[in-house]
Amino acid sequence: MTVLSIIRDCLDALLHPSARYDALTRARHRAFMAPRLLGSLAAFAAFPVYLAMRGAPSAIEVAAFAWLIAPILLSWFLSRTGRYEGAHVLSSLALAGLIMAIAGTTGGIESFAAIWLVVVPLEAALSASRRVAAFASLLALSCAALLILFSQLGWLPAGDISAAERGVLMAFGVASATLYSAGLAFGAESLTRTSVTLLSREEERYRLLARNMSDVISRHQRNGAVQFISPAVEAMLGMPVAQLLGHGLFDRVHVADRPAYLTALSDAARGDVRSVEFRLRREPDGAERGQGNYHVDFIWVEMRCRPLDQDMSGDVTREAEVVAVMRDVTDRKLSEQALDQARSAAEAADAAKTRFLATMSHELRTPLNAIIGFSEMIAQEQTLMLGAAQRKEYAELINASGQHLLSVVNGILDMSKMESGNFEIASEPFAPRASLMHCCNLLALKARENGIDLITDAPQDLPVITGDPRAFKQIVLNLVANAIKFTERDGQVTVTAAASSSQLTLRISDTGVGIAPDDLKRIGAPFFQAGKTYQRRHEGTGLGLSIVKSLVALHLGELTVQSRLGEGTAVTVKLPLVYTPPQATIFDGKPFDSKVTTLTPVLRQEAYDQIHEEIHEDLNDQPALVKKSA
């Protein structure tokens, strides 16, 4: 342990508690106390030697040595009170008093001690206070004026010092004042160096904090211009800080969010604390920029802004400024959007369930009522005196109701199988024309009863196709039955078939009521019916076209629906001439050829996608979509 460290520890023990926790204040207090204590102690130590060499001291010499107690008292005052400026004021008064006492007895303004009046304001400069420096300057000037005045009035005692002694004393005064001023200069330089070191250390601490924070700290004017922004913005937006100063950040704010951005900054400049969410355009990274076909990428940012304290800015007359903290909240916004979409899908599914229950209660109750009613009548044939013809008629009605009920249940089962991926396609060659004519013949009676012309145009040379004949008949029956169901009397339903080199094209068109554009988007969704158009005047569960769509997808075909409200509907189905399963069946680790293939259509997902279209339409109205950024 060195002597300097021991002295520093002793001085630190004398410091006032208020000065122990700030490095610069501690250095100033130490610089005030150290030279006074050390100088006084050294002078007191040299006093016996001075007496031995000089002899009995004069009154002035006694006063000078007595003054050495003042620095010790000043150090004690600062140690007890911590009032740094007050200690400097007392030090200036003590030094000025000593100078006046010596100069008054050694020639007044011409005394060698008068030069020390220059030291008074220099010493006060270490206080870093304009008030103390001004007071010390006025005090030195006042002392000089008093010495001049006293000399002119003759109030000072006549000096009996010879010219040679006067010269020696003057040299001593100049030299001592110069040395003392040099000490003050070194002390000021030491304090300045300490201040610069502490400032640099503080800047490095805040720079480290700003660089390693994920949040972006910025300083804005009222109009949004950026004066400072932390380096964390480079990772957030992928561009250097220099390009975001001024109005560079505002230029990257989404056009639709700029009013909210400026309003939040303006409100914060007026003294309010504001929080706002907006979108910022993010610069693509090097890989995306190299591809040349990247799209505009926006991220969601939450900004909390508050007014900058005028005391911190250092100028109370300047325009109000704002400090803002920004963070990337894209993940949260995407989660909120996904939650909203899931909520909409759940609400749509609940509405679909309600419609399905209402539809199925009607479709099941009607044939069951007929079956129960006519069976009760047959059971009471003796009471009702039913004849053979009536029993036959009732039996036929019961059979028809049962067949209708069976078709409803089969449709639900087929739909369940397709959704669960358990619907099997038994692929085999068959003649499509024969199947098509058979289905049309089955529905010809129904068309005739409804007063509708059913026209079938199927060439004789239609090639044999490979697929599931049962599924093919179900496709034709559902489409033709729907066309007949929704065509008014005296209307027309046309069924055409044509073949190309690779596919078979079926087209079923009618002159019915047509489908509204809004309903056309959801055609094919399970249990969906265009109720607004038809007002439930037609029976059905809403599964027919959904089953057709699924069967066509299982055959790797295409289905398109074209319709205009009040003019009719045309459904086009394109099936491959040769159906090939997408993958071979694996049995015991080996490929196993089979004509039976099980596919898994994504029916429920398609239904959800149709429900989400309305949500995505709102998002598409915005100039740019939000994307998660790395």
Side-chain angles (χ1 to χ4, degrees), residues 144-164:
L146 289 175
L147 289 176
I148 295 174
L149 179 62
F150 291 164
S151 297
Q152 294 296 326
L153 295 176
W155 291 357
L156 297 177
D160 54 354
I161 304 175
S162 64

PDB file of all heavy atoms in Angstrom, residues 144-164:
ATOM      1  N   ALA A 144      -8.493  45.262  -3.080  1.00  0.00           N
ATOM      2  CA  ALA A 144      -7.531  46.135  -3.763  1.00  0.00           C
ATOM      3  C   ALA A 144      -7.956  47.594  -3.653  1.00  0.00           C
ATOM      4  O   ALA A 144      -7.128  48.502  -3.420  1.00  0.00           O
ATOM      5  CB  ALA A 144      -7.403  45.712  -5.223  1.00  0.00           C
ATOM      6  N   ALA A 145      -9.250  47.873  -3.824  1.00  0.00           N
ATOM      7  CA  ALA A 145      -9.746  49.257  -3.721  1.00  0.00           C
ATOM      8  C   ALA A 145      -9.549  49.796  -2.312  1.00  0.00           C
ATOM      9  O   ALA A 145      -9.177  50.981  -2.125  1.00  0.00           O
ATOM     10  CB  ALA A 145     -11.224  49.298  -4.120  1.00  0.00           C
ATOM     11  N   LEU A 146      -9.779  48.982  -1.299  1.00  0.00           N
ATOM     12  CA  LEU A 146      -9.588  49.423   0.082  1.00  0.00           C
ATOM     13  C   LEU A 146      -8.123  49.736   0.361  1.00  0.00           C
ATOM     14  O   LEU A 146      -7.799  50.728   1.047  1.00  0.00           O
ATOM     15  CB  LEU A 146     -10.110  48.363   1.055  1.00  0.00           C
ATOM     16  CG  LEU A 146     -11.634  48.204   1.126  1.00  0.00           C
ATOM     17  CD1 LEU A 146     -12.000  47.033   2.045  1.00  0.00           C
ATOM     18  CD2 LEU A 146     -12.285  49.502   1.622  1.00  0.00           C
ATOM     19  N   LEU A 147      -7.213  48.910  -0.141  1.00  0.00           N
ATOM     20  CA  LEU A 147      -5.785  49.176   0.075  1.00  0.00           C
ATOM     21  C   LEU A 147      -5.368  50.486  -0.583  1.00  0.00           C
ATOM     22  O   LEU A 147      -4.579  51.265  -0.010  1.00  0.00           O
ATOM     23  CB  LEU A 147      -4.958  48.004  -0.465  1.00  0.00           C
ATOM     24  CG  LEU A 147      -5.040  46.688   0.331  1.00  0.00           C
ATOM     25  CD1 LEU A 147      -4.256  45.595  -0.382  1.00  0.00           C
ATOM     26  CD2 LEU A 147      -4.527  46.877   1.758  1.00  0.00           C
ATOM     27  N   ILE A 148      -5.890  50.733  -1.775  1.00  0.00           N
ATOM     28  CA  ILE A 148      -5.572  51.990  -2.461  1.00  0.00           C
ATOM     29  C   ILE A 148      -6.137  53.178  -1.681  1.00  0.00           C
ATOM     30  O   ILE A 148      -5.466  54.211  -1.475  1.00  0.00           O
ATOM     31  CB  ILE A 148      -6.110  51.968  -3.901  1.00  0.00           C
ATOM     32  CG1 ILE A 148      -5.377  50.881  -4.733  1.00  0.00           C
ATOM     33  CG2 ILE A 148      -5.962  53.327  -4.556  1.00  0.00           C
ATOM     34  CD1 ILE A 148      -5.931  50.682  -6.118  1.00  0.00           C
ATOM     35  N   LEU A 149      -7.383  53.012  -1.225  1.00  0.00           N
ATOM     36  CA  LEU A 149      -8.033  54.106  -0.489  1.00  0.00           C
ATOM     37  C   LEU A 149      -7.312  54.397   0.829  1.00  0.00           C
ATOM     38  O   LEU A 149      -7.057  55.555   1.164  1.00  0.00           O
ATOM     39  CB  LEU A 149      -9.495  53.748  -0.228  1.00  0.00           C
ATOM     40  CG  LEU A 149     -10.315  54.780   0.570  1.00  0.00           C
ATOM     41  CD1 LEU A 149     -10.382  56.100  -0.210  1.00  0.00           C
ATOM     42  CD2 LEU A 149     -11.707  54.236   0.867  1.00  0.00           C
ATOM     43  N   PHE A 150      -6.945  53.338   1.541  1.00  0.00           N
ATOM     44  CA  PHE A 150      -6.254  53.529   2.817  1.00  0.00           C
ATOM     45  C   PHE A 150      -4.884  54.172   2.616  1.00  0.00           C
ATOM     46  O   PHE A 150      -4.432  54.998   3.430  1.00  0.00           O
ATOM     47  CB  PHE A 150      -6.106  52.211   3.553  1.00  0.00           C
ATOM     48  CG  PHE A 150      -7.415  51.653   4.057  1.00  0.00           C
ATOM     49  CD1 PHE A 150      -7.508  50.312   4.449  1.00  0.00           C
ATOM     50  CD2 PHE A 150      -8.532  52.457   4.137  1.00  0.00           C
ATOM     51  CE1 PHE A 150      -8.695  49.801   4.911  1.00  0.00           C
ATOM     52  CE2 PHE A 150      -9.728  51.939   4.611  1.00  0.00           C
ATOM     53  CZ  PHE A 150      -9.821  50.620   4.997  1.00  0.00           C
ATOM     54  N   SER A 151      -4.214  53.804   1.500  1.00  0.00           N
ATOM     55  CA  SER A 151      -2.892  54.395   1.212  1.00  0.00           C
ATOM     56  C   SER A 151      -3.027  55.883   0.906  1.00  0.00           C
ATOM     57  O   SER A 151      -2.199  56.710   1.349  1.00  0.00           O
ATOM     58  CB  SER A 151      -2.238  53.673   0.048  1.00  0.00           C
ATOM     59  OG  SER A 151      -2.004  52.319   0.371  1.00  0.00           O
ATOM     60  N   GLN A 152      -4.066  56.233   0.153  1.00  0.00           N
ATOM     61  CA  GLN A 152      -4.266  57.645  -0.195  1.00  0.00           C
ATOM     62  C   GLN A 152      -4.655  58.476   1.017  1.00  0.00           C
ATOM     63  O   GLN A 152      -4.269  59.648   1.141  1.00  0.00           O
ATOM     64  CB  GLN A 152      -5.359  57.756  -1.287  1.00  0.00           C
ATOM     65  CG  GLN A 152      -4.974  57.149  -2.605  1.00  0.00           C
ATOM     66  CD  GLN A 152      -3.791  57.867  -3.248  1.00  0.00           C
ATOM     67  OE1 GLN A 152      -3.610  59.103  -3.118  1.00  0.00           O
ATOM     68  NE2 GLN A 152      -2.918  57.100  -3.913  1.00  0.00           N
ATOM     69  N   LEU A 153      -5.407  57.904   1.938  1.00  0.00           N
ATOM     70  CA  LEU A 153      -5.846  58.634   3.117  1.00  0.00           C
ATOM     71  C   LEU A 153      -4.789  58.626   4.227  1.00  0.00           C
ATOM     72  O   LEU A 153      -4.955  59.314   5.251  1.00  0.00           O
ATOM     73  CB  LEU A 153      -7.161  58.050   3.658  1.00  0.00           C
ATOM     74  CG  LEU A 153      -8.372  58.181   2.726  1.00  0.00           C
ATOM     75  CD1 LEU A 153      -9.584  57.483   3.338  1.00  0.00           C
ATOM     76  CD2 LEU A 153      -8.689  59.658   2.461  1.00  0.00           C
ATOM     77  N   GLY A 154      -3.763  57.822   4.052  1.00  0.00           N
ATOM     78  CA  GLY A 154      -2.709  57.775   5.043  1.00  0.00           C
ATOM     79  C   GLY A 154      -3.087  57.013   6.291  1.00  0.00           C
ATOM     80  O   GLY A 154      -2.538  57.291   7.373  1.00  0.00           O
ATOM     81  N   TRP A 155      -4.004  56.111   6.198  1.00  0.00           N
ATOM     82  CA  TRP A 155      -4.452  55.352   7.362  1.00  0.00           C
ATOM     83  C   TRP A 155      -3.556  54.157   7.659  1.00  0.00           C
ATOM     84  O   TRP A 155      -3.711  53.527   8.707  1.00  0.00           O
ATOM     85  CB  TRP A 155      -5.888  54.859   7.148  1.00  0.00           C
ATOM     86  CG  TRP A 155      -6.878  56.003   7.147  1.00  0.00           C
ATOM     87  CD1 TRP A 155      -6.625  57.313   7.357  1.00  0.00           C
ATOM     88  CD2 TRP A 155      -8.277  55.872   6.935  1.00  0.00           C
ATOM     89  NE1 TRP A 155      -7.759  58.067   7.299  1.00  0.00           N
ATOM     90  CE2 TRP A 155      -8.822  57.192   7.029  1.00  0.00           C
ATOM     91  CE3 TRP A 155      -9.150  54.832   6.676  1.00  0.00           C
ATOM     92  CZ2 TRP A 155     -10.181  57.462   6.860  1.00  0.00           C
ATOM     93  CZ3 TRP A 155     -10.505  55.092   6.518  1.00  0.00           C
ATOM     94  CH2 TRP A 155     -11.014  56.391   6.610  1.00  0.00           C
ATOM     95  N   LEU A 156      -2.650  53.829   6.741  1.00  0.00           N
ATOM     96  CA  LEU A 156      -1.800  52.667   6.938  1.00  0.00           C
ATOM     97  C   LEU A 156      -0.513  53.082   7.631  1.00  0.00           C
ATOM     98  O   LEU A 156       0.000  54.203   7.423  1.00  0.00           O
ATOM     99  CB  LEU A 156      -1.475  52.021   5.587  1.00  0.00           C
ATOM    100  CG  LEU A 156      -2.691  51.465   4.810  1.00  0.00           C
ATOM    101  CD1 LEU A 156      -2.220  50.921   3.481  1.00  0.00           C
ATOM    102  CD2 LEU A 156      -3.384  50.378   5.624  1.00  0.00           C
ATOM    103  N   PRO A 157       0.043  52.194   8.483  1.00  0.00           N
ATOM    104  CA  PRO A 157       1.317  52.529   9.163  1.00  0.00           C
ATOM    105  C   PRO A 157       2.457  52.641   8.170  1.00  0.00           C
ATOM    106  O   PRO A 157       2.491  51.937   7.148  1.00  0.00           O
ATOM    107  CB  PRO A 157       1.514  51.371  10.139  1.00  0.00           C
ATOM    108  CG  PRO A 157       0.764  50.240   9.542  1.00  0.00           C
ATOM    109  CD  PRO A 157      -0.419  50.844   8.844  1.00  0.00           C
ATOM    110  N   ALA A 158       3.388  53.537   8.427  1.00  0.00           N
ATOM    111  CA  ALA A 158       4.546  53.728   7.540  1.00  0.00           C
ATOM    112  C   ALA A 158       5.485  52.542   7.669  1.00  0.00           C
ATOM    113  O   ALA A 158       5.813  52.102   8.776  1.00  0.00           O
ATOM    114  CB  ALA A 158       5.265  55.022   7.882  1.00  0.00           C
ATOM    115  N   GLY A 159       5.897  52.006   6.562  1.00  0.00           N
ATOM    116  CA  GLY A 159       6.783  50.851   6.570  1.00  0.00           C
ATOM    117  C   GLY A 159       8.226  51.266   6.720  1.00  0.00           C
ATOM    118  O   GLY A 159       8.651  52.277   6.175  1.00  0.00           O
ATOM    119  N   ASP A 160       9.003  50.534   7.475  1.00  0.00           N
ATOM    120  CA  ASP A 160      10.430  50.809   7.673  1.00  0.00           C
ATOM    121  C   ASP A 160      11.298  49.768   6.994  1.00  0.00           C
ATOM    122  O   ASP A 160      12.373  49.419   7.462  1.00  0.00           O
ATOM    123  CB  ASP A 160      10.749  50.856   9.169  1.00  0.00           C
ATOM    124  CG  ASP A 160      10.279  49.579   9.866  1.00  0.00           C
ATOM    125  OD1 ASP A 160       9.610  48.734   9.185  1.00  0.00           O
ATOM    126  OD2 ASP A 160      10.560  49.416  11.066  1.00  0.00           O
ATOM    127  N   ILE A 161      10.785  49.239   5.869  1.00  0.00           N
ATOM    128  CA  ILE A 161      11.516  48.214   5.137  1.00  0.00           C
ATOM    129  C   ILE A 161      12.376  48.892   4.090  1.00  0.00           C
ATOM    130  O   ILE A 161      11.910  49.795   3.375  1.00  0.00           O
ATOM    131  CB  ILE A 161      10.547  47.214   4.478  1.00  0.00           C
ATOM    132  CG1 ILE A 161       9.631  46.599   5.547  1.00  0.00           C
ATOM    133  CG2 ILE A 161      11.299  46.135   3.730  1.00  0.00           C
ATOM    134  CD1 ILE A 161       8.572  45.683   4.966  1.00  0.00           C
ATOM    135  N   SER A 162      13.627  48.449   4.010  1.00  0.00           N
ATOM    136  CA  SER A 162      14.538  49.020   3.023  1.00  0.00           C
ATOM    137  C   SER A 162      14.183  48.559   1.625  1.00  0.00           C
ATOM    138  O   SER A 162      13.381  47.641   1.437  1.00  0.00           O
ATOM    139  CB  SER A 162      15.992  48.617   3.370  1.00  0.00           C
ATOM    140  OG  SER A 162      16.114  47.206   3.262  1.00  0.00           O
ATOM    141  N   ALA A 163      14.791  49.214   0.642  1.00  0.00           N
ATOM    142  CA  ALA A 163      14.495  48.872  -0.759  1.00  0.00           C
ATOM    143  C   ALA A 163      14.933  47.450  -1.083  1.00  0.00           C
ATOM    144  O   ALA A 163      14.254  46.733  -1.833  1.00  0.00           O
ATOM    145  CB  ALA A 163      15.200  49.868  -1.687  1.00  0.00           C
ATOM    146  N   ALA A 164      16.091  47.036  -0.502  1.00  0.00           N
ATOM    147  CA  ALA A 164      16.568  45.669  -0.780  1.00  0.00           C
ATOM    148  C   ALA A 164      15.627  44.632  -0.198  1.00  0.00           C
ATOM    149  O   ALA A 164      15.275  43.627  -0.851  1.00  0.00           O
ATOM    150  CB  ALA A 164      17.974  45.502  -0.206  1.00  0.00           C
TER     151      ALA A 164
END
